Amino acid sequence: MVSQIHEKGTRAAPLTEEQTVSNRNKSKVRARVEHIFGAQAAMDGHIVRTIGLERARVKVGLLSLAYHMKRLVQLTANEVRRQARRAASPDGIGLPAVA
């Protein structure tokens, strides 16, 4: 197994270039995962106040569903904007807009 913990440099022993690259690669994955948990925490928090495991599962499942629906709307809007920019490109050669 490969450690996924960031390495830390000190004033006396700064990080090597290899360690810096390793930390950067770990950060790419870590940031993507932590953004999801942060968005879900902002929506309803991490504390589940239900009685019973089944109700807790339903609450977490609905929270996850709501997050994914919100993310789908964001990704769809980004794609529409991207296609509109391509259609209005300055060289006049744009891709046809898709509804």
Side-chain angles (χ1 to χ4, degrees):
M1 291 182 60
V2 178
S3 172
Q4 293 299 314
I5 299 173
H6 280 80
E7 299 189 51
K8 183 179 177 189
T10 63
R11 186 174 6 180
L15 291 176
T16 64
E17 184 63 33
E18 182 180 311
Q19 289 172 319
T20 304
V21 170
S22 173
N23 282 352
R24 189 172 302 122
N25 289 335
K26 293 171 189 174
S27 291
K28 288 178 184 179
V29 175
R30 183 177 175 177
R32 188 67 194 119
V33 171
E34 287 184 3
H35 277 97
I36 294 168
F37 284 109
Q40 288 182 346
M43 288 168 51
D44 195 36
H46 289 300
I47 298 174
V48 179
R49 294 183 179 271
T50 62
I51 297 174
L53 190 56
E54 198 59 36
R55 286 182 180 172
R57 282 189 184 130
V58 169
K59 180 176 169 89
V60 170
L62 288 174
L63 179 65
S64 179
L65 180 65
Y67 169 77
H68 287 296
M69 289 172 66
K70 182 178 175 183
R71 185 73 178 129
L72 177 65
V73 169
Q74 289 174 340
L75 292 173
T76 304
N78 286 344
E79 184 61 27
V80 168
R81 280 193 293 270
R82 196 173 298 122
Q83 289 179 356
R85 266 189 252 117
R86 283 188 203 142
S89 64
D91 59 2
I93 304 172
L95 299 175
V98 178

